Amino acid sequence: MLNIVLFGPPGAGKGTQSERLIEKYNLIHLSTGDIFRANIKGATELGNLAKSFMDKGALVPDEVTIKMLESEVNKHPEAKGFIFDGFPRTEAQADALDTFLAGRDTSITKMLALEVEESELRDRLAKRAETSGRPDDANPEVIQKRIDVYNAETAPVADYYRRQDKFHAVNGLGSIDAITQRLYNAID
Ligand code: ADP
């Protein structure tokens, strides 16, 4: 299996690039943010819970997120591999993912980290707010909180994969096509 963690701060382009990667490598795209938003739309219990955290720019608790992610993976027994987008976002999530994948005789192949500076992120998120309809994109305070949470809780996850020799940084600036090509090169 080819299991990729696509990593990077809010607005780095994980969703856009995931769409390109699943096509080329025939992978299943699991975006925890998208799954939470689908649950919010469907007004499920999980959606209501997730919304209370997401609207503030906080992380949904690990226990809830991990359980959800595992059940999503289990829905695809025939998968050739997965792109994990927006997961893991904490070291506890990374640990849980390793254990879970090991139980299925597979593992993370590589973490690809899209690197984009903060001022550019803020610009992109403000621009995305015009079309995304996402409440967490529309409020500069919530954007700042998401960037802060990323720096405090999520950035250390890169070290987790560095220790396993799986970390690969990719420049997230430039045209969408140019960035896709860098990701292809990193995988092949
Ligand atoms: P972005 O990367 O642009 O912040 P996402 O769609 O990945 O957007 O995530 C939106 C929100 O969903 C996060 O701010 C957080 O509240 C919640 N979320 C997504 N993934 C996770 C996760 N792995 N753990 C906890 N919360 C998450």
Side-chain angles (χ1 to χ4, degrees):
M1 285 178 100
L2 177 66
N3 295 312
I4 302 287
V5 171
L6 192 56
F7 188 75
K14 301 185 291 292
T16 308
Q17 296 298 337
S18 289
E19 294 308 319
R20 306 280 185 98
L21 297 179
I22 54 171
E23 253 181 56
K24 179 160 160 88
Y25 299 100
N26 204 357
L27 306 174
I28 302 285
H29 178 206
L30 291 185
S31 157
T32 41
D34 285 352
I35 299 165
F36 285 136
R37 279 185 290 276
N39 275 276
I40 291 172
K41 219 173 157 197
T44 67
E45 204 179 312
L46 173 65
N48 291 340
L49 176 85
K51 184 172 167 53
S52 64
F53 294 94
M54 289 166 76
D55 284 355
K56 288 184 291 202
L59 293 183
V60 179
D62 281 339
E63 209 190 296
V64 177
T65 306
I66 291 165
K67 216 172 113 204
M68 179 198 77
L69 190 278
E70 292 182 354
S71 95
E72 290 295 324
V73 171
N74 284 335
K75 286 181 188 168
H76 303 279
E78 305 298 326
K80 289 209 163 74
F82 292 90
I83 294 193
F84 299 100
D85 162 4
F87 185 94
R89 255 176 158 95
T90 64
E91 288 203 46
Q93 291 180 11
D95 247 336
L97 182 61
D98 270 1
T99 305
F100 175 71
L101 292 178
R104 303 168 58 95
D105 287 326
T106 186
S107 59
I108 292 299
T109 313
K110 215 170 248 195
M111 166 191 258
L112 302 176
L114 287 170
E115 297 192 329
V116 178
E117 70 212 39
E118 268 185 39
S119 59
E120 169 75 12
L121 295 176
R122 265 186 279 272
D123 288 351
R124 289 187 188 180
L125 291 173
K127 204 156 169 222
R128 187 168 80 184
E130 293 168 13
T131 52
S132 72
R134 282 176 53 170
D136 61 343
D137 284 344
N139 180 334
E141 273 170 38
V142 174
I143 289 178
Q144 189 55 51
K145 169 79 177 165
R146 285 157 64 202
I147 293 173
D148 291 346
V149 167
Y150 175 83
N151 288 331
E153 293 184 57
T154 304
V157 175
D159 285 329
Y160 183 95
Y161 290 96
R162 262 194 204 100
R163 290 196 291 273
Q164 298 186 3
D165 250 341
K166 293 179 177 174
F167 175 87
H168 193 111
V170 173
N171 179 0
L173 288 178
S175 72
I176 292 175
D177 284 346
I179 298 163
T180 303
Q181 197 53 54
R182 288 174 204 148
L183 291 168
Y184 290 167
N185 292 344
I187 294 171
D188 293 335

